[in-house]
Amino acid sequence: MTTSTTSKPPDPFRWPAPWAPKHPDRIQLYSMATPNGQKVGVALEELGLPYELHRIDITKGDQHDEEYLRINPNGKIPSIVDPHGPAGPLPLMESAVILNYLARKGGGLLPDDERLYWETQQWLSFQIASVGPMFGQFGHFFAFARDKTSDTYALERYTAEVRRLLGVLDRRLSGRTFLVGEQFTIADVATFPWIAGLSFYKAQDHLGYAEFAHVVAFVERCLARPAVQRGMKVGA
């Protein structure tokens, strides 16, 4: 017995009303210049893909707008809509998915070698699962919530974990220009904004950031790239 399956056509797409595109033929980016948002701005600039920015101000709650939730049900940034996606406009959330999609579409930021491709996915996953969440929690308790807890447990916990993660990255970057050898990939795009963001929290001295010399040099190399400099400002 065989079962035939047909893919359901996507629902008719409607642009979120508060952020109507002026250039609907371009990739629509919904973001803000946070470490998570900067990833996609950098990738778009590195790949040279035409896009239109819609600034989602998370300090004002734009991410919870019902119109925005139609393209990002999780109410986070960044999001994109590719008007030329498979079978029509394609909304995407979650930065790892977006970075992979853009890299494939733009033909860059991913190694051709299969082994290096999977190493890139490994270090991208490391950022998503560890660096982003732990750096974010550290920043919250270090910069914003010191007067909201009765003890120092949370800050001590996340300080120790961020230092551990910096150590993992420092060992990985010893003898390498980027996380996967000599090629700048989506793993680097995802990771360095979170490390650079430690300066926003004014936390580098607290963490002993200068001890991680390979990480320091890596971030400097990333920030020296012209496309990175443009991408970091997207949504500022």
Side-chain angles (χ1 to χ4, degrees):
M1 178 178 171
T2 59
T3 302
S4 63
T5 59
T6 57
S7 60
K8 179 184 176 183
D11 295 331
F13 184 78
R14 178 168 60 85
W15 298 105
W19 301 280
K22 295 179 181 178
H23 304 282
D25 58 323
R26 302 178 185 176
I27 291 171
Q28 304 295 305
L29 169 62
Y30 305 83
S31 190
M32 188 176 175
T34 67
N36 219 36
Q38 286 168 327
K39 302 173 187 177
V40 179
V42 167
L44 286 163
E45 289 291 337
E46 283 280 345
L47 293 164
L49 291 169
Y51 68 96
E52 179 179 349
L53 169 69
H54 304 278
R55 189 173 187 270
I56 303 299
D57 192 337
I58 61 176
T59 68
K60 296 180 179 178
D62 288 351
Q63 71 275 25
H64 303 307
D65 188 290
E66 287 297 325
E67 286 287 292
Y68 182 69
L69 291 173
R70 290 195 297 105
I71 61 171
N72 188 324
N74 196 32
K76 302 289 185 180
I77 61 166
S79 306
I80 67 166
V81 176
D82 182 1
H84 305 296
L90 175 64
L92 289 175
M93 64 179 189
E94 299 301 328
S95 60
V97 173
I98 295 170
L99 289 176
N100 268 297
Y101 179 81
L102 294 176
R104 290 181 62 181
K105 186 179 184 73
L109 300 178
L110 279 173
D112 294 326
D113 179 272
E114 186 174 9
R115 179 185 179 92
L116 297 180
Y117 170 87
W118 287 112
E119 286 190 20
T120 299
Q121 297 299 331
Q122 168 185 264
W123 288 99
L124 174 63
S125 296
F126 173 76
Q127 187 281 306
I128 298 300
S130 298
V131 172
M134 295 300 102
F135 279 47
Q137 291 297 325
F138 165 77
H140 175 75
F141 286 104
F142 179 80
F144 306 120
R146 287 198 183 197
D147 59 346
K148 294 181 171 61
T149 60
S150 58
D151 58 45
T152 60
Y153 173 77
L155 180 57
E156 291 170 358
R157 170 184 170 82
Y158 290 115
T159 295
E161 182 61 3
V162 167
R163 281 186 53 83
R164 186 188 74 81
L165 293 170
L166 287 170
V168 173
L169 290 166
D170 203 59
R171 290 188 293 275
R172 173 65 181 181
L173 289 161
S174 177
R176 290 183 174 87
T177 302
F178 298 111
L179 285 169
V180 187
E182 297 304 306
Q183 182 177 352
F184 187 67
T185 71
I186 56 175
D188 305 300
V189 171
T191 303
F192 86 82
W194 282 99
I195 307 171
L198 294 173
S199 63
F200 172 77
Y201 300 132
K202 297 180 173 60
Q204 292 170 319
D205 289 344
H206 172 82
L207 290 165
Y209 176 67
E211 298 171 23
F212 305 97
H214 302 303
V215 172
V216 173
F218 161 71
V219 173
E220 290 175 351
R221 284 193 292 273
C222 292
L223 291 174
R225 297 172 69 91
V228 164
Q229 294 170 14
R230 296 192 301 271
M232 292 289 280
K233 298 174 184 176
V234 173

PDB file of all heavy atoms in Angstrom, residues 21-37:
ATOM      1  N   PRO A  21       6.137  47.121   3.769  1.00  0.00           N
ATOM      2  CA  PRO A  21       7.393  47.328   3.029  1.00  0.00           C
ATOM      3  C   PRO A  21       7.275  48.409   1.971  1.00  0.00           C
ATOM      4  O   PRO A  21       6.243  48.548   1.312  1.00  0.00           O
ATOM      5  CB  PRO A  21       7.639  45.960   2.391  1.00  0.00           C
ATOM      6  CG  PRO A  21       6.293  45.346   2.267  1.00  0.00           C
ATOM      7  CD  PRO A  21       5.501  45.833   3.440  1.00  0.00           C
ATOM      8  N   LYS A  22       8.349  49.157   1.810  1.00  0.00           N
ATOM      9  CA  LYS A  22       8.456  50.088   0.688  1.00  0.00           C
ATOM     10  C   LYS A  22       9.049  49.391  -0.530  1.00  0.00           C
ATOM     11  O   LYS A  22       8.857  49.835  -1.654  1.00  0.00           O
ATOM     12  CB  LYS A  22       9.332  51.278   1.089  1.00  0.00           C
ATOM     13  CG  LYS A  22       8.739  52.139   2.199  1.00  0.00           C
ATOM     14  CD  LYS A  22       9.675  53.289   2.557  1.00  0.00           C
ATOM     15  CE  LYS A  22       9.102  54.135   3.680  1.00  0.00           C
ATOM     16  NZ  LYS A  22      10.037  55.231   4.071  1.00  0.00           N
ATOM     17  N   HIS A  23       9.780  48.307  -0.266  1.00  0.00           N
ATOM     18  CA  HIS A  23      10.422  47.546  -1.333  1.00  0.00           C
ATOM     19  C   HIS A  23      10.065  46.066  -1.148  1.00  0.00           C
ATOM     20  O   HIS A  23      10.894  45.277  -0.676  1.00  0.00           O
ATOM     21  CB  HIS A  23      11.940  47.736  -1.298  1.00  0.00           C
ATOM     22  CG  HIS A  23      12.364  49.170  -1.369  1.00  0.00           C
ATOM     23  ND1 HIS A  23      12.378  49.887  -2.540  1.00  0.00           N
ATOM     24  CD2 HIS A  23      12.781  50.022  -0.388  1.00  0.00           C
ATOM     25  CE1 HIS A  23      12.798  51.115  -2.299  1.00  0.00           C
ATOM     26  NE2 HIS A  23      13.043  51.229  -1.007  1.00  0.00           N
ATOM     27  N   PRO A  24       8.853  45.671  -1.487  1.00  0.00           N
ATOM     28  CA  PRO A  24       8.397  44.304  -1.192  1.00  0.00           C
ATOM     29  C   PRO A  24       9.107  43.214  -1.983  1.00  0.00           C
ATOM     30  O   PRO A  24       8.892  42.037  -1.713  1.00  0.00           O
ATOM     31  CB  PRO A  24       6.910  44.354  -1.549  1.00  0.00           C
ATOM     32  CG  PRO A  24       6.776  45.482  -2.505  1.00  0.00           C
ATOM     33  CD  PRO A  24       7.800  46.497  -2.111  1.00  0.00           C
ATOM     34  N   ASP A  25       9.949  43.609  -2.931  1.00  0.00           N
ATOM     35  CA  ASP A  25      10.723  42.606  -3.673  1.00  0.00           C
ATOM     36  C   ASP A  25      12.006  42.214  -2.935  1.00  0.00           C
ATOM     37  O   ASP A  25      12.704  41.283  -3.345  1.00  0.00           O
ATOM     38  CB  ASP A  25      11.083  43.149  -5.061  1.00  0.00           C
ATOM     39  CG  ASP A  25      11.869  44.446  -4.984  1.00  0.00           C
ATOM     40  OD1 ASP A  25      11.577  45.271  -4.092  1.00  0.00           O
ATOM     41  OD2 ASP A  25      12.785  44.648  -5.806  1.00  0.00           O
ATOM     42  N   ARG A  26      12.340  42.921  -1.857  1.00  0.00           N
ATOM     43  CA  ARG A  26      13.556  42.639  -1.102  1.00  0.00           C
ATOM     44  C   ARG A  26      13.242  41.788   0.130  1.00  0.00           C
ATOM     45  O   ARG A  26      12.104  41.738   0.601  1.00  0.00           O
ATOM     46  CB  ARG A  26      14.216  43.937  -0.640  1.00  0.00           C
ATOM     47  CG  ARG A  26      14.569  44.883  -1.764  1.00  0.00           C
ATOM     48  CD  ARG A  26      15.178  46.167  -1.204  1.00  0.00           C
ATOM     49  NE  ARG A  26      15.408  47.148  -2.265  1.00  0.00           N
ATOM     50  CZ  ARG A  26      15.851  48.377  -2.059  1.00  0.00           C
ATOM     51  NH1 ARG A  26      16.124  48.775  -0.812  1.00  0.00           N
ATOM     52  NH2 ARG A  26      16.035  49.207  -3.074  1.00  0.00           N
ATOM     53  N   ILE A  27      14.273  41.142   0.672  1.00  0.00           N
ATOM     54  CA  ILE A  27      14.127  40.471   1.964  1.00  0.00           C
ATOM     55  C   ILE A  27      13.765  41.514   3.006  1.00  0.00           C
ATOM     56  O   ILE A  27      14.379  42.581   3.081  1.00  0.00           O
ATOM     57  CB  ILE A  27      15.433  39.750   2.351  1.00  0.00           C
ATOM     58  CG1 ILE A  27      15.671  38.563   1.414  1.00  0.00           C
ATOM     59  CG2 ILE A  27      15.390  39.283   3.806  1.00  0.00           C
ATOM     60  CD1 ILE A  27      17.031  37.924   1.586  1.00  0.00           C
ATOM     61  N   GLN A  28      12.747  41.227   3.789  1.00  0.00           N
ATOM     62  CA  GLN A  28      12.306  42.132   4.839  1.00  0.00           C
ATOM     63  C   GLN A  28      12.902  41.658   6.165  1.00  0.00           C
ATOM     64  O   GLN A  28      12.696  40.513   6.582  1.00  0.00           O
ATOM     65  CB  GLN A  28      10.780  42.156   4.921  1.00  0.00           C
ATOM     66  CG  GLN A  28      10.101  42.535   3.601  1.00  0.00           C
ATOM     67  CD  GLN A  28      10.408  43.961   3.168  1.00  0.00           C
ATOM     68  OE1 GLN A  28      10.188  44.915   3.914  1.00  0.00           O
ATOM     69  NE2 GLN A  28      10.926  44.114   1.947  1.00  0.00           N
ATOM     70  N   LEU A  29      13.647  42.545   6.813  1.00  0.00           N
ATOM     71  CA  LEU A  29      14.294  42.233   8.072  1.00  0.00           C
ATOM     72  C   LEU A  29      13.593  42.975   9.196  1.00  0.00           C
ATOM     73  O   LEU A  29      13.422  44.195   9.135  1.00  0.00           O
ATOM     74  CB  LEU A  29      15.771  42.636   8.025  1.00  0.00           C
ATOM     75  CG  LEU A  29      16.533  42.604   9.356  1.00  0.00           C
ATOM     76  CD1 LEU A  29      16.578  41.197   9.935  1.00  0.00           C
ATOM     77  CD2 LEU A  29      17.946  43.163   9.171  1.00  0.00           C
ATOM     78  N   TYR A  30      13.219  42.244  10.226  1.00  0.00           N
ATOM     79  CA  TYR A  30      12.562  42.808  11.406  1.00  0.00           C
ATOM     80  C   TYR A  30      13.522  42.585  12.577  1.00  0.00           C
ATOM     81  O   TYR A  30      13.702  41.453  13.032  1.00  0.00           O
ATOM     82  CB  TYR A  30      11.222  42.118  11.657  1.00  0.00           C
ATOM     83  CG  TYR A  30      10.303  42.164  10.456  1.00  0.00           C
ATOM     84  CD1 TYR A  30      10.426  41.229   9.433  1.00  0.00           C
ATOM     85  CD2 TYR A  30       9.332  43.163  10.327  1.00  0.00           C
ATOM     86  CE1 TYR A  30       9.608  41.281   8.311  1.00  0.00           C
ATOM     87  CE2 TYR A  30       8.506  43.216   9.212  1.00  0.00           C
ATOM     88  CZ  TYR A  30       8.652  42.271   8.219  1.00  0.00           C
ATOM     89  OH  TYR A  30       7.837  42.320   7.098  1.00  0.00           O
ATOM     90  N   SER A  31      14.139  43.679  13.057  1.00  0.00           N
ATOM     91  CA  SER A  31      15.232  43.476  14.000  1.00  0.00           C
ATOM     92  C   SER A  31      15.549  44.761  14.741  1.00  0.00           C
ATOM     93  O   SER A  31      14.911  45.798  14.544  1.00  0.00           O
ATOM     94  CB  SER A  31      16.478  42.968  13.247  1.00  0.00           C
ATOM     95  OG  SER A  31      17.476  42.549  14.142  1.00  0.00           O
ATOM     96  N   MET A  32      16.557  44.655  15.585  1.00  0.00           N
ATOM     97  CA  MET A  32      17.092  45.782  16.347  1.00  0.00           C
ATOM     98  C   MET A  32      18.545  45.431  16.639  1.00  0.00           C
ATOM     99  O   MET A  32      18.921  44.247  16.618  1.00  0.00           O
ATOM    100  CB  MET A  32      16.287  45.961  17.640  1.00  0.00           C
ATOM    101  CG  MET A  32      16.601  47.201  18.455  1.00  0.00           C
ATOM    102  SD  MET A  32      15.473  47.313  19.888  1.00  0.00           S
ATOM    103  CE  MET A  32      16.178  48.742  20.715  1.00  0.00           C
ATOM    104  N   ALA A  33      19.368  46.420  16.914  1.00  0.00           N
ATOM    105  CA  ALA A  33      20.809  46.185  17.051  1.00  0.00           C
ATOM    106  C   ALA A  33      21.176  45.661  18.437  1.00  0.00           C
ATOM    107  O   ALA A  33      21.953  46.260  19.177  1.00  0.00           O
ATOM    108  CB  ALA A  33      21.583  47.451  16.739  1.00  0.00           C
ATOM    109  N   THR A  34      20.602  44.508  18.790  1.00  0.00           N
ATOM    110  CA  THR A  34      21.045  43.737  19.949  1.00  0.00           C
ATOM    111  C   THR A  34      21.992  42.655  19.441  1.00  0.00           C
ATOM    112  O   THR A  34      22.064  42.411  18.237  1.00  0.00           O
ATOM    113  CB  THR A  34      19.855  43.078  20.643  1.00  0.00           C
ATOM    114  OG1 THR A  34      19.306  42.081  19.766  1.00  0.00           O
ATOM    115  CG2 THR A  34      18.770  44.108  20.976  1.00  0.00           C
ATOM    116  N   PRO A  35      22.711  41.961  20.325  1.00  0.00           N
ATOM    117  CA  PRO A  35      23.584  40.887  19.816  1.00  0.00           C
ATOM    118  C   PRO A  35      22.838  39.870  18.961  1.00  0.00           C
ATOM    119  O   PRO A  35      23.369  39.404  17.945  1.00  0.00           O
ATOM    120  CB  PRO A  35      24.134  40.255  21.097  1.00  0.00           C
ATOM    121  CG  PRO A  35      24.179  41.384  22.071  1.00  0.00           C
ATOM    122  CD  PRO A  35      22.950  42.194  21.774  1.00  0.00           C
ATOM    123  N   ASN A  36      21.624  39.520  19.345  1.00  0.00           N
ATOM    124  CA  ASN A  36      20.872  38.555  18.551  1.00  0.00           C
ATOM    125  C   ASN A  36      20.437  39.160  17.220  1.00  0.00           C
ATOM    126  O   ASN A  36      20.454  38.498  16.185  1.00  0.00           O
ATOM    127  CB  ASN A  36      19.652  38.062  19.329  1.00  0.00           C
ATOM    128  CG  ASN A  36      19.392  36.597  19.124  1.00  0.00           C
ATOM    129  OD1 ASN A  36      20.317  35.804  19.001  1.00  0.00           O
ATOM    130  ND2 ASN A  36      18.142  36.213  19.091  1.00  0.00           N
ATOM    131  N   GLY A  37      20.033  40.416  17.240  1.00  0.00           N
ATOM    132  CA  GLY A  37      19.605  41.067  16.010  1.00  0.00           C
ATOM    133  C   GLY A  37      20.753  41.374  15.069  1.00  0.00           C
ATOM    134  O   GLY A  37      20.596  41.308  13.843  1.00  0.00           O
TER     135      GLY A  37
END
